[in-house]
């Protein structure tokens, strides 16, 4: 009789197995859902990071050229025109969803195809002759990432050449 009681006490009942299996499945479902969500967030984060790297590169290129440029003028706030250090006419503007640079009629999109922009504005100060101020250009742009995440950027650059 003692042998029969020992055999019964060592096993699990069907209800205990069902409950433990159900709890295990619930915990695994929660963990996998969290993991999948973190992968999505990481993908969006990486996309925004690539866009920001590209835009930073383009802003730096524009700033370098503006610093040594002269004769600034804009027909609208969306287009910046000036003469670069080599004496060539240069313009920057938003075309489609990228920044276009034109030099003496030769135009090229500077931003990567996967970078989407929806705003590029230039504010000029001190560009009038005789105001004894170096021209100062404020560049405002807006980048749209995945899931319509919008990042607004602003950079101000001044020319090293004053118009005394």
């Amino acid at each position: 009789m003692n042998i029969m009681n020992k055999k019964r006490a060592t096993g699990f009942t069907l209800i205990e197995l069902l409950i433990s299996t159900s709890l295990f499945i619930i915990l695994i479902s929660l963990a996998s859902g969290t993991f999948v969500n973190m992968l999505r967030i990481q993908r969006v984060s990486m996309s925004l990071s690539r866009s920001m790297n590209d835009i930073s590169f383009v802003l730096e290129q524009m700033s370098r050229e503006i610093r040594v440029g002269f004769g600034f003028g804009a027909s609208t706030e969306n287009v910046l025109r000036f003469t670069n250090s080599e004496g060539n006419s240069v313009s920057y503007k938003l075309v489609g969803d990228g920044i276009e640079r034109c030099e003496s009629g030769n135009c090229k999109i500077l931003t990567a195809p996967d970078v989407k922009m929806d705003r590029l504005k230039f504010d000029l100060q001190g560009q009038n002759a005789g105001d004894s101020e170096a021209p100062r250009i404020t560049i405002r742009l807006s980048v749209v990432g995945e899931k319509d995440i919008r990042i607004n950027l602003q950079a101000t650059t001044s020319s090293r050449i004053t118009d005394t």
Side-chain angles (χ1 to χ4, degrees):
M1 185 136 159
N2 284 340
I3 296 174
M4 292 285 266
N5 284 338
K6 284 187 180 181
K7 282 187 179 179
R8 250 190 206 179
T10 59
F12 295 105
T13 65
L14 183 59
I15 293 175
E16 291 173 332
L17 284 173
L18 286 174
I19 290 173
S20 63
T21 305
S22 298
L23 287 175
F24 179 74
I25 289 172
I26 289 170
L27 289 175
I28 292 299
S29 297
L30 289 174
S32 64
T34 303
F35 180 71
V36 168
N37 195 25
M38 292 304 288
L39 285 177
R40 286 184 192 141
I41 290 170
Q42 192 259 351
R43 186 177 63 238
V44 169
S45 166
M46 290 300 292
S47 172
L48 284 173
S49 178
R50 282 191 305 271
S51 295
M52 292 307 298
N53 285 339
D54 189 65
I55 292 301
S56 293
F57 175 74
V58 171
L59 274 174
E60 182 62 29
Q61 180 180 347
M62 290 171 65
S63 294
R64 284 182 190 164
E65 196 164 29
I66 288 169
R67 276 187 216 117
V68 294
F70 59 93
F72 293 91
S75 56
T76 66
E77 61 182 14
N78 299 326
V79 179
L80 176 67
R81 290 186 173 83
F82 62 96
T83 304
N84 66 8
S85 61
E86 297 170 358
N88 296 328
S89 175
V90 175
S91 68
Y92 287 98
K93 62 183 172 182
L94 183 67
V95 174
D97 51 10
I99 297 176
E100 180 182 69
R101 178 186 181 273
C102 293
E103 181 177 354
S104 301
N106 185 16
C107 298
K108 179 181 178 184
I109 300 289
L110 299 177
T111 52
D114 58 337
V115 175
K116 307 297 180 215
M117 297 181 55
D118 68 346
R119 183 175 64 124
L120 177 65
K121 296 190 186 267
F122 299 99
D123 295 327
L124 279 75
Q125 296 174 343
Q127 78 271 20
N128 297 328
D131 61 7
S132 298
E133 292 183 23
R136 194 170 57 234
I137 295 92
T138 300
I139 305 165
R140 294 186 176 121
L141 54 92
S142 188
V143 180
V144 180
E146 280 188 38
K147 305 213 184 243
D148 293 328
I149 297 173
R150 180 179 311 277
I151 299 173
N152 296 315
L153 298 170
Q154 176 177 317
T156 301
T157 303
S158 62
S159 176
R160 293 180 181 162
I161 302 170
T162 57
D163 59 352
T164 60

